Amino acid sequence: MKKTILLFTLSLVLINCKTAVKKEKTIGLVTQKAMVVSAREEASKIGTDILKKGGNAFDAMVATELALAVAFPYAGNIGGGGFMVYRKNDGEIGALDYREKAPLASSKDMFLDTDRNVIKGKSTFGSMAVGIPGTVAGVFEAHRKFGTLPMEEILQPVIELAKRGVIVTKKQEKRIQNFQSGFLKVNKDSILFNKNWKENDTIKYNALAATLTRIQKNGSDEFYKGETAEKLVSFIQANGGIMTLEDLAKYKAKWRTPITFNYDDLRIISMSPPSSGGICLAQIMNAIEPYDLDKFGHNSTKAIQVITEAERRAYADRSFFLGDPDFVKIPLKTLISKEYIAGRMNDFSFDKATKSEDVSHGSIKMTESDETTHYSIVDQFGNAISATTTINAGYGSKLYSSELGFFLNNEMDDFSSKTGVPNMFGLIGAKANEIAPEKRMLSSMTPTIVEKNGQLFMVVGTPGGSTIITSVLQTILNVHEYKMSMKEAVNASRFHHQWLPDNIKMEPDGFSTEIKTNLKNLGYNLDETNSPVIGKVAAILVLPNGKLEGGADKRGDDAAVGF
Ligand code: DON
């Protein structure tokens, strides 16, 4: 008896100790009703102001996307494209594809020399790298279908921001400095960004303000058929590019069916092809679901092993099967089925790393009918939007129209220029993602919405090229498996594996020496030098009391704003 009491008391003391040392959660901004999280406070604020005026998430999407084009020229854009996934308050879901397309005059081998070698820089710098931009079509289409406030009213604060100018942050000062040689190499004349901009300077975007004012007046046609279209095509052709007025006139944003799947008690809604995001996320999450990740512990050796091996196999499939669904047949149902993934993980063992050279794409009978920024929005009506938009590399192709006031994307590099030759993210592609006129290049963008018990739970996404998918994955797992707050989940250290190259990219200083030694001993190659940061997540979590918590990544100038 005495012994029992002693044991009981001891365990109470232990429990108390455990509670006493349990770290307090670090919480992001919490608001009652509505929130926008994006890469710049100015954009989050403009989006939130639209909500305050009574606009819905779709109105706020237009405002935030275009405000990012002004405040975050590194990746925000009207010269690029993106994807948006939505979930309305009645549970209706959908996805909008405003991805760039290859020009009509493009061809499979356009980036190869006469010896069939990839010409360095042709798909990444200057006019040939540019895909037909989709952003303006995207925001107008979202607004046409679901918007409530007049477009003129939504665009007004964006135009005012461009005229008033945006304050340079420390991070932006560094970026502009780092990209000087690219700007000089690509542009014939000096551009707005060639100046030695310093932190706290204000950059005014008058040319962009004029372009946006014409769009405000004439609608989407201004960009695709009007004066802006004409100026854009002359500019690109004067710089040796192949975009034509016909290319612009033919561009249309497309509604797509999102990828959906379950993980434990969560339902994940994510982007469908031409992004690989939703399919790869589904494959990885299906592969890891049977393992006790929470018991293994966050970023523990075992958790990193399971996730890495699932990622290795998913990215091998990505490179073979995925491309624009309007051009290639994708065995989608099989790829995201639990059975198929279970088979792919059969040869995984905790004792030893699988070698990527021993992993190829899965064998599937084709019987089925083939620099970036993210923002997340929840409005006061309960509608949610997750949108990722890009011009690909930082400042895209570096080609900047001083007359129109924006950078052009270098999205053509997201195609596979040649089978087996890695693109700028080290991704290997094959036939499914080869270049063809009017085809959309494969993407990794993963705008995602998560439901729990049928209710909105999380809105999440990030930039980061090939690391987008795995950053979204880890953010969801951090909340679901490891019970982190939204802010903690977004800020936690990240790692990434993409089949080839066969190494685990890790954020430096994010992982203990013990974990790294364990992984090396198991045969994993670690790469801590190439990715000072992995992803820059912008997310919103619905708390059990219905309030919203923002996750604005510490890695950027990101900000959550709401009410
Ligand atoms: O669509 C894609 O997957 C790429 N163009 C995304 C580029 C990106 O995230 C760059 N940002 N870090």
Side-chain angles (χ1 to χ4, degrees):
M1 183 76 173
K2 233 178 168 181
K3 213 170 160 189
T4 326
I5 291 173
L6 187 71
L7 265 178
F8 181 61
T9 323
L10 196 67
S11 44
L12 267 186
V13 170
L14 282 177
I15 288 168
N16 277 334
C17 281
K18 214 178 156 194
T19 351
V21 291
K22 198 170 171 261
K23 233 181 88 220
E24 276 287 311
K25 273 195 176 180
T26 320
I27 308 283
L29 174 76
V30 174
T31 64
Q32 293 283 346
K33 290 185 188 160
M35 188 178 282
V36 179
V37 185
S38 83
R40 282 290 303 230
E41 186 162 10
E42 292 83 347
S44 301
K45 188 163 178 315
I46 283 181
T48 303
D49 287 348
I50 289 294
L51 296 177
K52 276 190 187 154
K53 279 183 144 185
N56 66 14
F58 299 91
D59 299 318
M61 174 210 170
V62 178
T64 310
E65 176 107 16
L66 296 179
L68 282 166
V70 175
F72 194 53
Y74 183 60
N77 66 83
I78 56 171
F83 297 108
M84 179 267 276
V85 171
Y86 72 84
R87 180 187 183 278
K88 287 171 64 181
N89 54 10
D90 60 2
E92 178 193 319
I93 59 169
L96 184 62
D97 161 2
Y98 50 104
R99 180 72 162 166
E100 299 92 323
K101 281 166 56 170
L104 286 158
S106 64
S107 59
K108 185 163 91 61
D109 297 336
M110 63 189 270
F111 297 125
L112 304 186
D113 63 18
T114 43
D115 297 326
R116 304 194 56 74
N117 293 318
V118 174
I119 303 166
K120 209 168 169 260
K122 199 168 176 188
S123 66
T124 49
F125 284 101
S127 60
M128 289 301 283
V130 182
I132 312 307
T135 298
V136 174
V139 295
F140 272 86
E141 180 56 19
H143 183 263
R144 186 196 62 76
K145 199 158 175 197
F146 296 117
T148 56
L149 295 182
M151 207 57 168
E152 302 80 66
E153 198 175 327
I154 299 174
L155 264 95
Q156 195 52 35
V158 179
I159 295 168
E160 281 162 19
L161 176 70
K163 286 186 185 159
R164 194 168 64 239
V166 184
I167 293 172
V168 176
T169 64
K170 187 82 208 150
K171 290 193 171 85
Q172 191 180 8
E173 176 191 316
K174 267 212 183 124
R175 280 198 298 264
I176 294 177
Q177 272 168 15
N178 291 343
F179 281 83
Q180 283 306 316
S181 64
F183 298 152
L184 290 169
K185 181 171 133 189
V186 168
N187 292 284
K188 290 181 179 165
D189 304 313
S190 77
I191 62 168
L192 181 64
F193 296 89
N194 281 131
K195 222 180 116 179
N196 191 12
W197 293 107
K198 292 274 173 239
E199 185 183 9
N200 294 325
D201 285 351
T202 298
I203 308 185
K204 292 190 178 178
Y205 298 97
N206 289 320
L208 183 55
T211 300
L212 290 169
T213 306
R214 286 197 305 276
I215 292 173
Q216 183 188 38
K217 191 162 160 244
N218 305 323
S220 171
D221 273 359
E222 170 61 32
F223 190 89
Y224 292 98
K225 294 176 181 159
E227 185 186 331
T228 303
E230 277 161 22
K231 288 186 163 155
L232 180 57
V233 166
S234 319
F235 172 72
I236 291 194
Q237 291 184 356
N239 279 280
I242 54 175
M243 188 190 292
T244 60
L245 279 172
E246 192 186 354
D247 276 314
L248 283 173
K250 285 187 93 170
Y251 187 87
K252 293 261 172 308
K254 288 192 170 183
W255 293 99
R256 306 265 185 201
T257 307
I259 300 288
T260 54
F261 61 95
N262 296 324
Y263 178 89
D264 294 347
D265 58 350
L266 305 180
R267 179 178 180 236
I268 318 282
I269 304 149
S270 192
M271 193 61 216
S272 39
S275 180
S276 62
I279 291 184
C280 288
L281 188 64
Q283 287 197 293
I284 298 167
M285 293 190 85
N286 283 338
I288 64 180
E289 192 182 27
Y291 297 89
D292 286 330
L293 285 184
D294 51 346
K295 293 219 180 78
F296 296 161
H298 175 247
N299 281 352
S300 61
T301 306
K302 278 186 130 178
I304 295 175
Q305 274 187 279
V306 175
I307 294 170
T308 295
E309 295 300 345
E311 290 174 352
R312 188 195 307 280
R313 288 156 177 81
Y315 277 80
D317 277 354
R318 177 195 194 277
S319 74
F320 184 77
F321 290 112
L322 303 190
D324 182 345
D326 299 341
F327 284 71
V328 292
K329 234 173 152 136
I330 300 175
L332 194 144
K333 275 195 212 137
T334 308
L335 284 173
I336 66 171
S337 74
K338 307 243 182 220
E339 298 70 37
Y340 169 74
I341 305 297
R344 294 280 281 154
M345 288 295 277
N346 265 347
D347 58 347
F348 159 61
S349 146
F350 278 111
D351 300 336
K352 196 164 164 267
T354 309
K355 289 280 154 233
S356 283
E357 61 195 37
D358 299 332
V359 174
S360 174
H361 55 86
S363 124
I364 299 178
K365 263 209 195 136
M366 301 287 276
T367 48
E368 287 175 33
S369 332
D370 180 314
E371 203 64 40
T372 308
T373 188
H374 180 86
Y375 56 92
S376 293
I377 302 176
V378 176
D379 71 15
Q380 63 277 28
F381 313 110
N383 303 306
I385 276 184
S386 183
T388 315
T389 176
T390 188
I391 42 177
N392 199 20
Y395 303 107
S397 63
K398 324 296 179 251
L399 185 63
Y400 177 82
S401 162
S402 294
E403 189 177 16
L404 298 172
F406 61 89
F407 281 103
L408 275 310
N409 69 80
N410 63 346
E411 224 71 60
M412 291 298 284
D413 188 63
D414 272 348
F415 279 117
S416 169
S417 294
K418 183 180 173 184
T419 297
V421 176
N423 75 353
M424 64 182 247
F425 298 109
L427 291 168
I428 312 270
K431 195 156 178 54
N433 191 32
E434 71 187 14
I435 305 171
E438 295 207 76
K439 190 175 175 184
R440 283 152 148 94
M441 50 298 276
L442 185 63
S443 172
S444 300
M445 292 192 278
T446 315
T448 298
I449 294 176
V450 183
E451 282 178 5
K452 190 170 181 168
N453 304 320
Q455 303 294 315
L456 179 65
F457 181 57
M458 193 192 296
V459 187
V460 55
T462 179
S466 55
T467 68
I468 290 175
I469 301 162
T470 56
S471 298
V472 167
L473 165 79
Q474 289 168 84
T475 309
I476 298 172
L477 294 178
N478 288 348
V479 170
H480 176 72
E481 298 281 359
Y482 305 116
K483 310 298 171 220
M484 292 186 197
S485 71
M486 192 72 265
K487 184 178 174 136
E488 291 167 340
V490 160
N491 286 344
S493 301
R494 290 193 274 267
F495 64 94
H496 167 81
H497 197 290
Q498 60 178 48
W499 178 50
L500 293 172
D502 188 355
N503 53 39
I504 308 179
K505 272 190 190 189
M506 296 178 128
E507 288 184 314
D509 309 323
F511 298 83
S512 71
T513 314
E514 187 197 344
I515 300 277
K516 288 187 272 190
T517 310
N518 291 343
L519 289 167
K520 280 183 200 155
N521 289 341
L522 287 160
Y524 290 93
N525 306 314
L526 307 186
D527 169 9
E528 286 184 280
T529 53
N530 285 322
S531 300
V533 301
I534 295 180
K536 210 147 55 71
V537 176
I540 301 173
L541 184 67
V542 181
L543 301 173
N545 61 9
K547 293 183 184 175
L548 306 171
E549 188 204 339
D553 206 314
K554 64 174 185 187
R555 295 164 180 84
D557 293 320
D558 300 38
V561 177
F563 57 90

